[in-house]
Amino acid sequence: MAPGEKIKAKIKKNLPVRGPQAPTIKDLMQWYCLNTNTHGCRRIVVSRGRLRRLIWIGLTLTAVALIIWQCALLVISFYTVSVSIKVHFQKLDFPAVTICNINPYKYSVVHDLLADLEKETRSALKSLYGFSEAEPRKRREAESWGSTWEGAKPKYLNTIPLLIFNEDEKDKARDFFTGRKRKVSGKIIHKTSNVMHVHESTEMVGFQLCSNDTSDCATYTFSSGINAIQEWYKLHYMNIMAQVPLEKKINMSYSAEELLVTCFFDGMSCDARNFTLFHHPMYGNCYTFNNKENETILSTSMGGSEYGLQVILYINEEEYNPFLVSSTGAKVLVHRQDEYPFIEDVGTEIETAMSTSMGMHLTESFKLSEPYSQCTEDGSDVPVKNIYNAAYSLQICLYSCFQTKMVEKCGCAQYSQPLPPNASYCNYQQHPNWMYCYYQLYQAFVQEELGCQSVCKETCSFKEWAMTTSLAQWPSEVSEKWLLPVLNWDQGQEINKKFNKTDLAKLLIFYKDLNQRSIMESPANSIEMLLSNFGGQLGLWMSCSVVCVIEIIEVFFIDSFSIIARRQWQKTKEWWARKKAPPSPGLPRGQQGQDNPALDLDDDLPTFTSALRLPPALGTQVPGTPPPRYNTLRLETAFSSQLADTQVPDKP
């Protein structure tokens, strides 16, 4: 470095440096620590001793880390909710009530359609259990299995054969139809049950479903023969009923006049005109009370069983299908007026010869949508088309997604759910591969491989009726003697049969009280509260304010970047000057008068104190103040003659 440059550097070093004019980041940080109002930073600079400085550095960094951690927690927990519960005492709207007989169709009407299926089912049960035969099991197995099927070959057992599996022979099974062992390939899915085991614990009953080309098969086994035969029967039953027109199926099921014997609501009489027909594929004709199709939604004025819905149902057990249902009674579901009744999933069964009282408590919930939760207001933001004529719900979304996937992959829809647009129910004649496709698709749905669970969302607002159920024997032995004859007389025109108490069921649905509980979510935080919490954390750990934060941003980002950019720009200019300067082949350049470091002035003038410390330039004589010339103090006559008017007259 040239001597002049060294002097300039020394002058700049001793000059006071302010803020962004500091030449280095170190000087900038030193200036910041001396002038900031943030506690801790100044102690790092002014503390004496290395240990004390290290302690203050550690404390300051710890405080900064705690501030960052606490502020991050505040940001993460910003989208949280607070839950408030409100109880209202008011007149309540009565919910919709859907009632279905467990048996979907009258057995006497559908018997002709199911005759061949029932014949093969009875033959399978006879081969499996022997029924009333007293012959030992070994003797029955020794007989020819083919002798059981005399005459024509079975239609349904040949389509989906029932098989007996032995755990000792994993790849082989015995066919019910031929009695021969056959090789089983493909996936084996076992459905456990504790109802009943077939013969020995090592044997299981099941059936095999294959695709059209029989190259891909899936075998379903059950530890209970009852479950296996019911599942096998249900598959063929759905196939048969899918081919029956809807109008005919409605006529096969129970009418409202047959199902509803008596009806009272809020102390007043009602009848079948207050119920709306709803045909369910698996439960036949169902009837909804207080549906949305009514002109006005009914409400109840008081709580208690006397002010709710009271109906007596005629179950008619003699018309039950013995292989389709194994229990007697009805199914009831309480729901909103615009909600689809999933009676098969969430319905409550009521018994015959019993009085079932269902007390309700209404709870209405309101959730916040995104970004607080993943709920949806009306399902418009869900990429699944609603195939139900009802308001959106999570269950509707899941079933709509499954039905749509089934139509895409199997070419038809599941029989137990509504039809998607331009689709038909599955049956053997049009879709011979539908059973295998349905079971494979259902397994993928249960294992969440179809993606339906990931796209469907819960609703943000919904109503729930918490039910308290109690049972009592009805009618009593004393009242039975007069009650049944009166009911027979009242219903003599609709039902040509004497009532038995095992054919009747009484149902009471009512509000226990008129307390409506509302659960509402509200944002737990706001922008004002978040900023206040930020200020609290800054003040707690470093006694810092918003102005301090702005100062930190200015110094650590803007000023630091300016210093770095200025240094880089200076280096670039020097590099460019060296690149453009022509080479000097002659003698080395000597010092000229203008090269005197003492005379090389800088834009930043030195102070008086710093200028006194300037060293003399090497090899040059610094000009100083010359000594005075004393001869200049002599008096000399300024004028050779004096004017007349300026002369002083002589004294006499």
Side-chain angles (χ1 to χ4, degrees):
M1 180 183 293
E5 295 294 331
K6 291 182 179 180
I7 296 174
K8 289 168 59 178
K10 191 171 183 179
I11 292 175
K12 289 185 177 181
K13 182 177 181 181
N14 293 313
L15 288 176
V17 179
R18 306 254 177 214
Q21 287 75 31
T24 62
I25 294 180
K26 179 181 178 182
D27 296 335
L28 178 65
M29 295 298 107
Q30 185 178 7
W31 171 84
Y32 169 76
C33 293
L34 289 174
N35 294 277
T36 184
N37 293 325
T38 304
H39 294 182
C41 297
R42 182 177 299 180
R43 303 298 302 175
I44 296 175
V45 178
V46 302
S47 295
R48 296 181 179 179
R50 182 176 298 177
L51 178 60
R52 185 172 294 182
R53 288 187 177 183
L54 291 176
I55 292 174
W56 276 106
I57 290 174
L59 292 175
T60 304
L61 293 178
T62 303
V64 172
L66 289 174
I67 290 175
I68 295 175
W69 175 52
Q70 292 293 329
C71 292
L73 292 180
L74 290 174
V75 173
I76 293 174
S77 62
F78 180 76
Y79 291 112
T80 57
V81 297
S82 60
V83 180
S84 60
I85 300 177
K86 297 181 181 179
V87 179
H88 306 278
F89 303 89
Q90 59 185 6
K91 189 176 181 180
L92 298 178
D93 292 337
F94 201 78
V97 180
T98 299
I99 304 173
C100 305
N101 197 325
I102 292 180
N103 184 58
Y105 304 105
K106 300 176 185 177
Y107 186 68
S108 59
V109 180
V110 299
H111 179 265
D112 294 338
L113 296 174
L114 307 175
D116 295 337
L117 177 59
E118 291 185 1
K119 180 179 178 181
E120 295 185 21
T121 304
R122 295 180 188 276
S123 300
L125 287 171
K126 183 177 181 180
S127 301
L128 182 61
Y129 290 103
F131 281 119
S132 60
E133 294 181 4
E135 299 177 0
R137 176 172 177 269
K138 292 184 179 180
R139 182 177 176 182
R140 292 200 310 269
E141 289 183 352
E143 294 178 353
S144 173
W145 284 67
S147 61
T148 308
W149 316 101
E150 297 179 358
K153 293 183 179 180
K155 173 183 177 182
Y156 301 101
L157 283 172
N158 190 32
T159 305
I160 304 177
L162 278 170
L163 306 173
I164 294 181
F165 298 84
N166 196 308
E167 292 184 357
D168 299 333
E169 299 176 349
K170 296 183 179 180
D171 298 334
K172 294 183 179 180
R174 180 182 300 153
D175 194 329
F176 265 57
F177 172 54
T178 61
R180 301 176 181 177
K181 291 185 178 181
R182 55 188 294 180
K183 189 175 181 180
V184 178
S185 60
K187 183 187 299 184
I188 297 179
I189 302 172
H190 180 65
K191 298 185 177 182
T192 59
S193 175
N194 296 324
V195 178
M196 183 181 298
H197 293 285
V198 181
H199 299 312
E200 298 176 0
S201 59
T202 59
E203 289 186 343
M204 294 176 293
V205 180
F207 49 84
Q208 189 177 46
L209 298 176
C210 299
S211 58
N212 288 337
D213 54 2
T214 67
S215 60
D216 192 8
C217 297
T219 304
Y220 297 86
T221 61
F222 302 81
S223 57
S224 169
I226 292 179
N227 290 355
I229 291 179
Q230 282 186 332
E231 189 73 15
W232 177 84
Y233 181 91
K234 186 178 178 180
L235 286 176
H236 293 290
Y237 169 83
M238 290 191 299
N239 175 73
I240 294 173
M241 297 307 298
Q243 304 174 52
V244 180
L246 177 61
E247 294 77 7
K248 187 175 182 180
K249 286 188 289 188
I250 292 176
N251 296 329
M252 291 183 192
S253 188
Y254 301 90
S255 63
E257 290 76 11
E258 292 174 332
L259 180 64
L260 303 168
V261 179
T262 63
C263 175
F264 287 92
F265 176 74
D266 201 10
M268 300 183 65
S269 177
C270 55
D271 54 23
R273 291 173 295 180
N274 300 102
F275 291 81
T276 304
L277 173 64
F278 162 67
H279 186 81
H280 192 279
M282 295 304 299
Y283 287 94
N285 291 346
C286 300
Y287 297 93
T288 302
F289 177 78
N290 196 25
N291 195 16
K292 64 180 179 180
E293 296 181 3
N294 296 344
E295 296 180 357
T296 57
I297 297 178
L298 302 177
S299 59
T300 180
S301 57
M302 296 183 64
S305 59
E306 297 296 328
Y307 299 93
L309 176 65
Q310 302 181 29
V311 292
I312 297 178
L313 305 176
Y314 178 55
I315 304 302
N316 196 5
E317 187 178 358
E318 290 184 358
E319 292 286 356
Y320 269 47
N321 188 327
F323 300 109
L324 185 64
V325 293
S326 56
S327 59
T328 305
K331 266 202 168 185
V332 180
L333 179 63
V334 176
H335 56 93
R336 295 184 310 179
Q337 278 74 18
D338 59 349
E339 185 179 0
Y340 184 85
F342 288 95
I343 194 77
E344 70 278 16
D345 295 332
V346 292
T348 301
E349 293 186 357
I350 62 175
E351 301 180 36
T352 57
M354 301 291 288
S355 176
T356 304
S357 298
M358 304 174 69
M360 301 182 299
H361 280 292
L362 174 59
T363 301
E364 194 169 8
S365 301
F366 300 92
K367 299 178 64 178
L368 294 176
S369 58
E370 292 183 354
Y372 295 93
S373 66
Q374 297 297 322
C375 67
T376 178
E377 295 290 344
D378 54 1
S380 58
D381 56 340
V382 177
V384 176
K385 185 177 181 180
N386 187 352
I387 64 173
Y388 296 79
N389 186 22
Y392 175 88
S393 67
L394 177 61
Q395 204 165 9
I396 281 181
C397 179
L398 292 175
Y399 278 111
S400 298
C401 179
F402 179 79
Q403 284 286 71
T404 304
K405 296 288 185 181
M406 188 168 180
V407 172
E408 293 176 358
K409 297 183 179 297
C410 306
C412 57
Q414 181 190 3
Y415 176 66
S416 60
Q417 300 299 331
L419 282 172
N422 302 323
S424 61
Y425 285 126
C426 300
N427 59 79
Y428 288 141
Q429 286 70 21
Q430 298 179 358
H431 316 94
N433 193 35
W434 79 267
M435 287 191 179
Y436 171 78
C437 181
Y438 164 71
Y439 267 84
Q440 293 294 100
L441 202 65
Y442 181 75
Q443 291 296 325
F445 176 77
V446 172
Q447 298 174 5
E448 301 184 3
E449 296 177 357
L450 294 182
C452 296
Q453 288 82 354
S454 60
V455 298
C456 292
K457 302 178 182 180
E458 293 183 352
T459 53
C460 295
S461 60
F462 52 90
K463 291 182 178 181
E464 291 180 322
W465 285 269
M467 312 296 294
T468 302
T469 304
S470 60
L471 300 176
Q473 184 178 354
W474 180 88
S476 63
E477 295 182 359
V478 178
S479 61
E480 178 183 353
K481 298 178 182 179
W482 69 267
L483 193 147
L484 294 181
V486 172
L487 292 177
N488 284 326
W489 184 83
D490 289 339
Q491 299 294 324
Q493 296 180 356
E494 286 79 9
I495 302 173
N496 297 323
K497 178 190 173 183
K498 290 185 178 181
F499 286 132
N500 191 328
K501 69 177 184 179
T502 57
D503 292 331
L504 300 175
K506 186 176 182 180
L507 174 65
L508 296 90
I509 300 178
F510 55 92
Y511 280 112
K512 299 185 70 174
D513 49 48
L514 298 183
N515 299 344
Q516 177 183 352
R517 187 173 63 171
S518 299
I519 302 177
M520 306 182 67
E521 290 184 351
S522 59
N525 300 303
S526 62
I527 297 297
E528 296 80 4
M529 188 178 297
L530 181 64
L531 294 177
S532 177
N533 291 332
F534 281 167
Q537 295 298 327
L538 293 172
L540 174 64
W541 297 108
M542 293 192 68
S543 184
C544 187
S545 64
V546 176
V547 177
C548 294
V549 174
I550 298 174
E551 186 181 63
I552 291 173
I553 295 174
E554 179 189 13
V555 171
F556 284 85
F557 294 97
I558 301 177
D559 294 346
S560 299
F561 176 77
S562 300
I563 292 173
I564 295 173
R566 189 164 58 242
R567 294 182 63 182
Q568 293 296 327
W569 175 248
Q570 188 66 27
K571 290 181 180 180
T572 304
K573 288 175 63 177
E574 293 176 358
W575 171 80
W576 183 256
R578 290 195 301 268
K579 183 177 180 182
K580 291 297 184 179
S584 54
L587 296 175
R589 178 176 177 267
Q591 286 187 343
Q592 305 296 329
Q594 65 272 17
D595 295 328
N596 190 343
L599 300 178
D600 191 7
L601 300 178
D602 195 6
D603 295 336
D604 296 333
L605 297 178
T607 62
F608 178 78
T609 304
S610 60
L612 292 179
R613 296 197 295 265
L614 292 175
L618 298 177
T620 60
Q621 181 66 34
V622 180
T625 303
R629 296 174 61 186
Y630 295 99
N631 57 359
T632 59
L633 299 178
R634 296 175 184 178
L635 295 176
E636 295 182 356
T637 303
F639 302 96
S640 59
S641 62
Q642 194 168 5
L643 297 177
D645 57 351
T646 61
Q647 292 180 356
V648 179
D650 295 336
K651 293 181 181 182

